[in-house]
Amino acid sequence: MSDDNICPKCGSPLADPTETQSGRKLQRCSTGSWNPQTKKNEGCDYIKWLQVEPKILDESCPKCGAPLVLAITRFGKKMKKCSTSSWDAVAKKAIGCDFIEWINGTTEPLDEICPKCGSKLVLYTTANGKKMKKCSTSGWDKEKKVATGCPHVEWLPTNYSKSTTDGEEFLPPEE
Ligand SMILES: [Zn+2]
Ligand SMILES: [Zn+2]
Ligand SMILES: [Zn+2]
């Protein structure tokens, strides 16, 4: 076992890497654990954030034609960006192609009827993993910046899906 797998706080081995709901990877100290009841870490609270390898997508950049990659920010937001872009740590500026497209969430059709207007509902998952049921006739007018269509929205608890929260929102910030 390399030093990489030893907790610098207490010397215990680190646990296996786990993935958070938003796709970030971390390794906890094996003596520490997350208590969902108290929403506190128990035992050693050391957490090592792992670099998430950007996933190369089967899409090309509309600006320069290079492949796009899927990147996840430290706040768990997802975006597509050009694989030729990178960060110049010395000059403190981005270099390469500057194409970025934020991924704003996904919609899935539901077999449920809107109580307000009788249209179908859709399940909407926001970019940071929150879920709501909303009316399929609803939309957003980008020019006027107003919601259009039926306003019915029903927010779902974050643990709506089978996966349970691992307390990601309570973790210390990434270094
Ligand atoms: Zn430790
Ligand atoms: Zn590009
Ligand atoms: Zn409706």
PDB file of all heavy atoms in Angstrom, residues 72-90:
ATOM      1  N   ILE A  72     -16.969  18.366 -14.452  1.00  0.00           N
ATOM      2  CA  ILE A  72     -17.813  18.622 -13.281  1.00  0.00           C
ATOM      3  C   ILE A  72     -17.095  19.631 -12.402  1.00  0.00           C
ATOM      4  O   ILE A  72     -15.939  19.437 -12.048  1.00  0.00           O
ATOM      5  CB  ILE A  72     -18.085  17.320 -12.505  1.00  0.00           C
ATOM      6  CG1 ILE A  72     -18.786  16.314 -13.416  1.00  0.00           C
ATOM      7  CG2 ILE A  72     -18.944  17.597 -11.274  1.00  0.00           C
ATOM      8  CD1 ILE A  72     -18.880  14.931 -12.848  1.00  0.00           C
ATOM      9  N   THR A  73     -17.764  20.722 -12.076  1.00  0.00           N
ATOM     10  CA  THR A  73     -17.124  21.740 -11.255  1.00  0.00           C
ATOM     11  C   THR A  73     -17.103  21.309  -9.810  1.00  0.00           C
ATOM     12  O   THR A  73     -17.752  20.352  -9.418  1.00  0.00           O
ATOM     13  CB  THR A  73     -17.878  23.077 -11.333  1.00  0.00           C
ATOM     14  OG1 THR A  73     -19.119  22.925 -10.630  1.00  0.00           O
ATOM     15  CG2 THR A  73     -18.160  23.474 -12.775  1.00  0.00           C
ATOM     16  N   ARG A  74     -16.386  22.058  -8.988  1.00  0.00           N
ATOM     17  CA  ARG A  74     -16.300  21.709  -7.569  1.00  0.00           C
ATOM     18  C   ARG A  74     -17.649  21.860  -6.883  1.00  0.00           C
ATOM     19  O   ARG A  74     -17.846  21.373  -5.784  1.00  0.00           O
ATOM     20  CB  ARG A  74     -15.236  22.557  -6.872  1.00  0.00           C
ATOM     21  CG  ARG A  74     -15.384  24.027  -7.127  1.00  0.00           C
ATOM     22  CD  ARG A  74     -14.273  24.789  -6.502  1.00  0.00           C
ATOM     23  NE  ARG A  74     -14.369  24.747  -5.040  1.00  0.00           N
ATOM     24  CZ  ARG A  74     -13.519  25.346  -4.241  1.00  0.00           C
ATOM     25  NH1 ARG A  74     -12.498  25.992  -4.745  1.00  0.00           N
ATOM     26  NH2 ARG A  74     -13.681  25.306  -2.945  1.00  0.00           N
ATOM     27  N   PHE A  75     -18.597  22.541  -7.486  1.00  0.00           N
ATOM     28  CA  PHE A  75     -19.925  22.649  -6.893  1.00  0.00           C
ATOM     29  C   PHE A  75     -20.885  21.629  -7.474  1.00  0.00           C
ATOM     30  O   PHE A  75     -22.088  21.698  -7.269  1.00  0.00           O
ATOM     31  CB  PHE A  75     -20.473  24.065  -7.086  1.00  0.00           C
ATOM     32  CG  PHE A  75     -19.579  25.100  -6.481  1.00  0.00           C
ATOM     33  CD1 PHE A  75     -18.874  25.977  -7.269  1.00  0.00           C
ATOM     34  CD2 PHE A  75     -19.414  25.159  -5.105  1.00  0.00           C
ATOM     35  CE1 PHE A  75     -18.014  26.913  -6.701  1.00  0.00           C
ATOM     36  CE2 PHE A  75     -18.557  26.084  -4.532  1.00  0.00           C
ATOM     37  CZ  PHE A  75     -17.857  26.964  -5.328  1.00  0.00           C
ATOM     38  N   GLY A  76     -20.349  20.675  -8.250  1.00  0.00           N
ATOM     39  CA  GLY A  76     -21.179  19.595  -8.752  1.00  0.00           C
ATOM     40  C   GLY A  76     -21.980  19.943  -9.988  1.00  0.00           C
ATOM     41  O   GLY A  76     -22.855  19.192 -10.383  1.00  0.00           O
ATOM     42  N   LYS A  77     -21.707  21.111 -10.585  1.00  0.00           N
ATOM     43  CA  LYS A  77     -22.416  21.440 -11.815  1.00  0.00           C
ATOM     44  C   LYS A  77     -21.694  20.798 -12.990  1.00  0.00           C
ATOM     45  O   LYS A  77     -20.474  20.684 -13.001  1.00  0.00           O
ATOM     46  CB  LYS A  77     -22.469  22.960 -12.004  1.00  0.00           C
ATOM     47  CG  LYS A  77     -23.455  23.607 -11.069  1.00  0.00           C
ATOM     48  CD  LYS A  77     -23.702  25.052 -11.466  1.00  0.00           C
ATOM     49  CE  LYS A  77     -24.684  25.125 -12.606  1.00  0.00           C
ATOM     50  NZ  LYS A  77     -25.060  26.511 -12.933  1.00  0.00           N
ATOM     51  N   LYS A  78     -22.466  20.379 -13.982  1.00  0.00           N
ATOM     52  CA  LYS A  78     -21.868  19.708 -15.122  1.00  0.00           C
ATOM     53  C   LYS A  78     -21.808  20.644 -16.313  1.00  0.00           C
ATOM     54  O   LYS A  78     -22.700  21.450 -16.526  1.00  0.00           O
ATOM     55  CB  LYS A  78     -22.704  18.495 -15.497  1.00  0.00           C
ATOM     56  CG  LYS A  78     -22.633  17.404 -14.468  1.00  0.00           C
ATOM     57  CD  LYS A  78     -23.216  16.126 -15.007  1.00  0.00           C
ATOM     58  CE  LYS A  78     -23.010  15.022 -13.981  1.00  0.00           C
ATOM     59  NZ  LYS A  78     -24.200  14.379 -13.574  1.00  0.00           N
ATOM     60  N   MET A  79     -20.746  20.518 -17.082  1.00  0.00           N
ATOM     61  CA  MET A  79     -20.662  21.273 -18.321  1.00  0.00           C
ATOM     62  C   MET A  79     -19.896  20.483 -19.359  1.00  0.00           C
ATOM     63  O   MET A  79     -19.113  19.602 -19.052  1.00  0.00           O
ATOM     64  CB  MET A  79     -19.984  22.616 -18.071  1.00  0.00           C
ATOM     65  CG  MET A  79     -18.575  22.480 -17.554  1.00  0.00           C
ATOM     66  SD  MET A  79     -17.747  24.063 -17.585  1.00  0.00           S
ATOM     67  CE  MET A  79     -16.465  23.813 -16.361  1.00  0.00           C
ATOM     68  N   LYS A  80     -20.199  20.851 -20.617  1.00  0.00           N
ATOM     69  CA  LYS A  80     -19.408  20.311 -21.710  1.00  0.00           C
ATOM     70  C   LYS A  80     -18.412  21.393 -22.068  1.00  0.00           C
ATOM     71  O   LYS A  80     -18.779  22.564 -22.180  1.00  0.00           O
ATOM     72  CB  LYS A  80     -20.291  20.059 -22.924  1.00  0.00           C
ATOM     73  CG  LYS A  80     -21.310  18.980 -22.751  1.00  0.00           C
ATOM     74  CD  LYS A  80     -22.119  18.889 -24.029  1.00  0.00           C
ATOM     75  CE  LYS A  80     -23.349  18.044 -23.820  1.00  0.00           C
ATOM     76  NZ  LYS A  80     -24.202  18.062 -25.014  1.00  0.00           N
ATOM     77  N   LYS A  81     -17.164  21.026 -22.246  1.00  0.00           N
ATOM     78  CA  LYS A  81     -16.221  22.026 -22.710  1.00  0.00           C
ATOM     79  C   LYS A  81     -15.282  21.429 -23.733  1.00  0.00           C
ATOM     80  O   LYS A  81     -15.182  20.218 -23.891  1.00  0.00           O
ATOM     81  CB  LYS A  81     -15.465  22.665 -21.546  1.00  0.00           C
ATOM     82  CG  LYS A  81     -14.644  21.728 -20.741  1.00  0.00           C
ATOM     83  CD  LYS A  81     -13.868  22.519 -19.713  1.00  0.00           C
ATOM     84  CE  LYS A  81     -12.713  21.684 -19.199  1.00  0.00           C
ATOM     85  NZ  LYS A  81     -11.798  22.447 -18.375  1.00  0.00           N
ATOM     86  N   CYS A  82     -14.614  22.317 -24.422  1.00  0.00           N
ATOM     87  CA  CYS A  82     -13.742  21.910 -25.510  1.00  0.00           C
ATOM     88  C   CYS A  82     -12.489  21.249 -24.941  1.00  0.00           C
ATOM     89  O   CYS A  82     -11.904  21.736 -23.976  1.00  0.00           O
ATOM     90  CB  CYS A  82     -13.380  23.145 -26.321  1.00  0.00           C
ATOM     91  SG  CYS A  82     -12.458  22.743 -27.797  1.00  0.00           S
ATOM     92  N   SER A  83     -12.096  20.117 -25.520  1.00  0.00           N
ATOM     93  CA  SER A  83     -10.933  19.395 -24.989  1.00  0.00           C
ATOM     94  C   SER A  83      -9.627  20.144 -25.209  1.00  0.00           C
ATOM     95  O   SER A  83      -8.618  19.801 -24.610  1.00  0.00           O
ATOM     96  CB  SER A  83     -10.851  18.005 -25.618  1.00  0.00           C
ATOM     97  OG  SER A  83     -10.762  18.125 -27.020  1.00  0.00           O
ATOM     98  N   THR A  84      -9.626  21.163 -26.058  1.00  0.00           N
ATOM     99  CA  THR A  84      -8.377  21.904 -26.273  1.00  0.00           C
ATOM    100  C   THR A  84      -8.189  22.998 -25.232  1.00  0.00           C
ATOM    101  O   THR A  84      -7.145  23.641 -25.199  1.00  0.00           O
ATOM    102  CB  THR A  84      -8.337  22.562 -27.673  1.00  0.00           C
ATOM    103  OG1 THR A  84      -9.302  23.610 -27.707  1.00  0.00           O
ATOM    104  CG2 THR A  84      -8.614  21.570 -28.774  1.00  0.00           C
ATOM    105  N   SER A  85      -9.206  23.224 -24.392  1.00  0.00           N
ATOM    106  CA  SER A  85      -9.066  24.297 -23.414  1.00  0.00           C
ATOM    107  C   SER A  85      -8.309  23.810 -22.200  1.00  0.00           C
ATOM    108  O   SER A  85      -8.404  22.648 -21.809  1.00  0.00           O
ATOM    109  CB  SER A  85     -10.433  24.823 -22.998  1.00  0.00           C
ATOM    110  OG  SER A  85     -11.075  23.855 -22.203  1.00  0.00           O
ATOM    111  N   SER A  86      -7.557  24.694 -21.584  1.00  0.00           N
ATOM    112  CA  SER A  86      -6.887  24.332 -20.340  1.00  0.00           C
ATOM    113  C   SER A  86      -6.609  25.609 -19.573  1.00  0.00           C
ATOM    114  O   SER A  86      -6.875  26.714 -20.045  1.00  0.00           O
ATOM    115  CB  SER A  86      -5.601  23.555 -20.612  1.00  0.00           C
ATOM    116  OG  SER A  86      -4.725  24.351 -21.366  1.00  0.00           O
ATOM    117  N   TRP A  87      -6.095  25.449 -18.385  1.00  0.00           N
ATOM    118  CA  TRP A  87      -5.864  26.576 -17.497  1.00  0.00           C
ATOM    119  C   TRP A  87      -4.365  26.809 -17.373  1.00  0.00           C
ATOM    120  O   TRP A  87      -3.620  25.902 -17.027  1.00  0.00           O
ATOM    121  CB  TRP A  87      -6.490  26.279 -16.128  1.00  0.00           C
ATOM    122  CG  TRP A  87      -6.357  27.404 -15.163  1.00  0.00           C
ATOM    123  CD1 TRP A  87      -5.535  27.439 -14.072  1.00  0.00           C
ATOM    124  CD2 TRP A  87      -7.068  28.641 -15.173  1.00  0.00           C
ATOM    125  NE1 TRP A  87      -5.707  28.631 -13.424  1.00  0.00           N
ATOM    126  CE2 TRP A  87      -6.627  29.383 -14.074  1.00  0.00           C
ATOM    127  CE3 TRP A  87      -8.033  29.197 -16.029  1.00  0.00           C
ATOM    128  CZ2 TRP A  87      -7.114  30.662 -13.791  1.00  0.00           C
ATOM    129  CZ3 TRP A  87      -8.521  30.459 -15.742  1.00  0.00           C
ATOM    130  CH2 TRP A  87      -8.069  31.180 -14.632  1.00  0.00           C
ATOM    131  N   ASP A  88      -3.926  28.015 -17.718  1.00  0.00           N
ATOM    132  CA  ASP A  88      -2.527  28.367 -17.566  1.00  0.00           C
ATOM    133  C   ASP A  88      -2.325  28.896 -16.154  1.00  0.00           C
ATOM    134  O   ASP A  88      -2.721  30.016 -15.829  1.00  0.00           O
ATOM    135  CB  ASP A  88      -2.155  29.429 -18.615  1.00  0.00           C
ATOM    136  CG  ASP A  88      -0.659  29.700 -18.621  1.00  0.00           C
ATOM    137  OD1 ASP A  88      -0.038  29.596 -17.540  1.00  0.00           O
ATOM    138  OD2 ASP A  88      -0.113  30.001 -19.684  1.00  0.00           O
ATOM    139  N   ALA A  89      -1.735  28.053 -15.295  1.00  0.00           N
ATOM    140  CA  ALA A  89      -1.628  28.394 -13.872  1.00  0.00           C
ATOM    141  C   ALA A  89      -0.672  29.564 -13.650  1.00  0.00           C
ATOM    142  O   ALA A  89      -0.771  30.274 -12.658  1.00  0.00           O
ATOM    143  CB  ALA A  89      -1.166  27.180 -13.083  1.00  0.00           C
ATOM    144  N   VAL A  90       0.271  29.764 -14.545  1.00  0.00           N
ATOM    145  CA  VAL A  90       1.231  30.861 -14.385  1.00  0.00           C
ATOM    146  C   VAL A  90       0.587  32.193 -14.772  1.00  0.00           C
ATOM    147  O   VAL A  90       0.579  33.151 -14.003  1.00  0.00           O
ATOM    148  CB  VAL A  90       2.492  30.600 -15.242  1.00  0.00           C
ATOM    149  CG1 VAL A  90       3.492  31.728 -15.073  1.00  0.00           C
ATOM    150  CG2 VAL A  90       3.116  29.267 -14.857  1.00  0.00           C
TER     151      VAL A  90
END
